[in-house]
Amino acid sequence: MSGGLVALLDDVAALARIAAASVDDIAAGAAKAGAKAAGVVIDDAAVTPQYVSGADPSRELPMIKRIFWGSLRNKLLIILPALLLISAFIPAVIPFILMLGGTYLCYEGAEKVWHKFFGHHAAAEDQPAVDRGPGAEAKVVKGAITTDFILSCEIMVISMTEVADESLWVRALILVVVAFAITVLVYGAVALIVKMDDIGLHLSAKDSAGSKRFGGLLVKGMPAVLATITLVGTVAMLWVGGHIMVQGAHDLGWHQPYDLIHTLEAPFAGIAVVGGFLGWLVNTLCSAVVGLAWGLLVMVVVQPLLKALPFGKGKNDDAHGESDAHSAAAGHQAAERDSGHMP
């Protein structure tokens, strides 16, 4: 009897070790997949603050909460099952889905760059979306969730390609971890960003001179912080999108762009100590240039079509990329002044 018990305990211990190894594999796979999708994650965090621009401060966090749950539902209930089915039955389609998403990123990044230097917006378009009519909050939340769906697709596809060699169930668990982790990371950061000036106002009301000074710096500095996040997000879109297109072209047999970038990268990669970083930087800059060029080319083809459609961007410029993220701070501060919370 005791021998049977010992054998049973040995089996339990062996199963525990296997489970622990599986958890380690899942954690490692999730970290690898999430890191590869980091550029899209940065853009997702940079985009979302504009959707609560001009909202009543008391409604900012509830709106972000609704977008968070919508994003999580998209990832877990729609994107994840679809990707698992595709990877199980038609895995050859995944590179094309990835390149389609890369094209979207290049297009959106190029559009941001174009509008930054050449765009002109009517005054009505600069008005915060939440002030444009009745039921606007629900409409804004729906628009944010739709934009997030596109970015979430790209995040999950990139993550899937990084763990394609794992079994189906391990892939599923890794993608669940990635979905939760990235959604919490993005919307936790967004909540912190949009409430940062509230924190600054709270500190400014303290008796301590240091708190007053720091609070004032937070309030004054948030527009610059948001503008920087927008810039980083745009560069990330072009870099990630360009890299996807170059890698995809290489995998499909067109090797010249890939080989050229690695030829330019090689002299820098050999430099002692900083070679790895410099090589990565050259690769990133080249990918961003490719992304910008491809995005501008897509713009030339796509934008006339969008303007002709009743639901195209030409009809609704509060879609992703059409307003600078620093408007979130400006609109929020205006709301604070109207409510009497700012001097």
Side-chain angles (χ1 to χ4, degrees), residues 90-211:
I90 44 173
V93 173
I94 290 179
F96 294 97
I97 296 174
L98 195 60
M99 292 185 72
L100 183 62
T103 297
Y104 168 79
L105 291 175
C106 293
Y107 168 74
E108 287 290 324
E111 188 182 46
K112 283 187 176 184
V113 172
W114 179 268
H115 282 289
K116 178 67 176 177
F117 292 101
F118 305 107
H120 301 284
H121 303 288
E125 292 171 344
D126 292 331
Q127 184 183 9
V130 291
D131 292 338
R132 293 179 189 170
E137 180 176 316
K139 183 178 178 181
V140 168
V141 169
K142 182 179 178 181
I145 293 173
T146 301
T147 296
D148 178 272
F149 179 83
I150 298 170
L151 293 172
S152 292
C153 283
E154 192 66 7
I155 289 169
M156 297 294 277
V157 172
I158 292 172
S159 300
M160 172 70 83
T161 61
E162 288 302 298
V163 295
D165 295 334
E166 304 289 346
S167 69
L168 181 64
W169 290 110
V170 171
R171 262 180 284 161
L173 289 173
I174 287 173
L175 290 177
V176 167
V177 172
V178 168
F180 272 102
I182 286 181
T183 308
V184 170
L185 174 65
V186 167
Y187 290 99
V190 168
L192 183 62
I193 288 168
V194 300
K195 300 308 289 184
M196 193 63 73
D197 48 358
D198 277 347
I199 296 171
L201 289 168
H202 177 73
L203 291 174
S204 298
K206 297 286 186 181
D207 294 332
S208 168
S211 295

Side-chain angles (χ1 to χ4, degrees), residues 51 66 116 126 151 176 254 268 292 307:
Y51 287 100
R66 290 173 63 189
K116 178 67 176 177
D126 292 331
L151 293 172
V176 167
W254 187 30
F268 297 92
L292 179 61
K307 289 179 180 178

Side-chain angles (χ1 to χ4, degrees), residues 236-259:
M237 292 180 86
L238 295 172
W239 156 47
V240 175
H243 180 77
I244 289 171
M245 300 311 297
V246 169
Q247 184 66 50
H250 176 71
D251 293 342
L252 293 174
W254 187 30
H255 305 297
Q256 287 85 349
Y258 182 92
D259 292 340

